[in-house]
Amino acid sequence: MSPAPAPTDSDLVVAALEGDNEAFRALVERHQNRAFWVARGMLHNDEDARDVSQEAFIRVHRSLARFDLKLKFTTWLHQIVVNLSIDSIRKRKRRDGVDLDSVGEVEDPRVVEDPIEHQELTGRVGRVLEELPPKYKAIMVLSDLQGIGAKQIAEITGTTHATVRWRHHRARKLF
């Protein structure tokens, strides 16, 4: 007898809406790392990324009844994470201004032979990303760091596929 297939995100959402706290916990466990890394790519700071990803799941929980089961849960979650990250960037810039010395480093999952060179490179990438306007930064993080396709990014950002492609091209030129 083969094991039962894992429940889909939609199955877990329905169960959570019916009061199953374990179903919501399973959604969080399934997607928390990805939410963190999307926020980390936008914010370049582990603590801020943890705060944003936690706030995203709080908002998901509060708004679960409004989720359209025809859509992908991950798209909805990423949209919330990106919007919260952009809000956090705007608040930080209003509060602190831009301080390049406080910019965190971007972790690159690729293997680099020289760790010092890798650290220097990721620091420079992080500083350049920090300077991009949020709408371009979101596209670069989702596409280049998270590997999400342009069609799904369009859903996440609430724009068209063509707009995503144009912003990605523009972001790379600015980068």
Side-chain angles (χ1 to χ4, degrees):
M1 184 178 223
S2 62
T8 66
D9 289 343
S10 294
D11 295 337
L12 293 173
V13 168
V14 169
L17 286 170
E18 293 172 351
D20 184 349
N21 290 332
E22 289 304 313
F24 187 75
R25 182 185 323 267
L27 273 173
V28 171
E29 288 173 359
R30 184 178 287 179
H31 298 288
Q32 67 186 352
N33 286 339
R34 187 73 178 255
F36 170 81
W37 285 108
V38 168
R40 177 66 168 82
M42 294 282 298
L43 301 169
H44 308 292
N45 178 296
D46 287 351
E47 186 176 326
D48 291 344
R50 271 190 290 279
D51 290 346
V52 162
S53 59
Q54 287 174 359
E55 178 63 26
F57 282 108
I58 290 169
R59 291 197 183 185
V60 163
H61 190 267
R62 288 182 189 152
S63 305
L64 207 53
R66 293 184 296 216
F67 175 65
D68 183 353
L69 291 171
K70 296 175 200 147
L71 302 176
K72 286 181 68 175
F73 178 79
T74 54
T75 299
W76 185 52
L77 174 62
H78 288 147
Q79 184 177 26
I80 293 169
V81 172
V82 167
N83 289 338
L84 287 171
S85 296
I86 290 170
D87 290 346
S88 179
I89 291 167
R90 288 179 180 149
K91 286 177 189 173
R92 182 173 43 187
K93 284 188 177 182
R94 277 195 304 263
R95 184 184 67 228
D96 300 336
V98 177
D99 179 9
L100 293 179
D101 294 329
S102 68
V103 174
E105 294 182 11
V106 175
E107 292 194 21
D108 188 346
R110 296 174 296 196
V111 176
V112 177
E113 291 184 27
D114 184 359
I116 294 172
E117 183 179 317
H118 171 46
Q119 185 175 12
E120 182 180 319
L121 177 63
T122 56
R124 287 194 324 238
V125 168
R127 285 189 292 277
V128 173
L129 274 175
E130 190 68 26
E131 291 300 311
L132 289 177
K135 66 183 178 183
Y136 298 123
K137 183 178 186 177
I139 301 295
M140 292 230 18
V141 167
L142 292 171
S143 177
D144 295 337
L145 297 180
Q146 294 298 318
I148 297 173
K151 287 182 182 178
Q152 189 175 1
I153 294 172
E155 293 173 18
I156 291 168
T157 58
T159 60
T160 65
H161 180 261
T163 300
V164 169
R165 291 183 60 199
W166 181 86
R167 284 184 182 171
H168 192 236
H169 172 74
R170 180 77 177 129
R172 284 187 169 189
K173 285 184 87 169
L174 290 171
F175 188 84

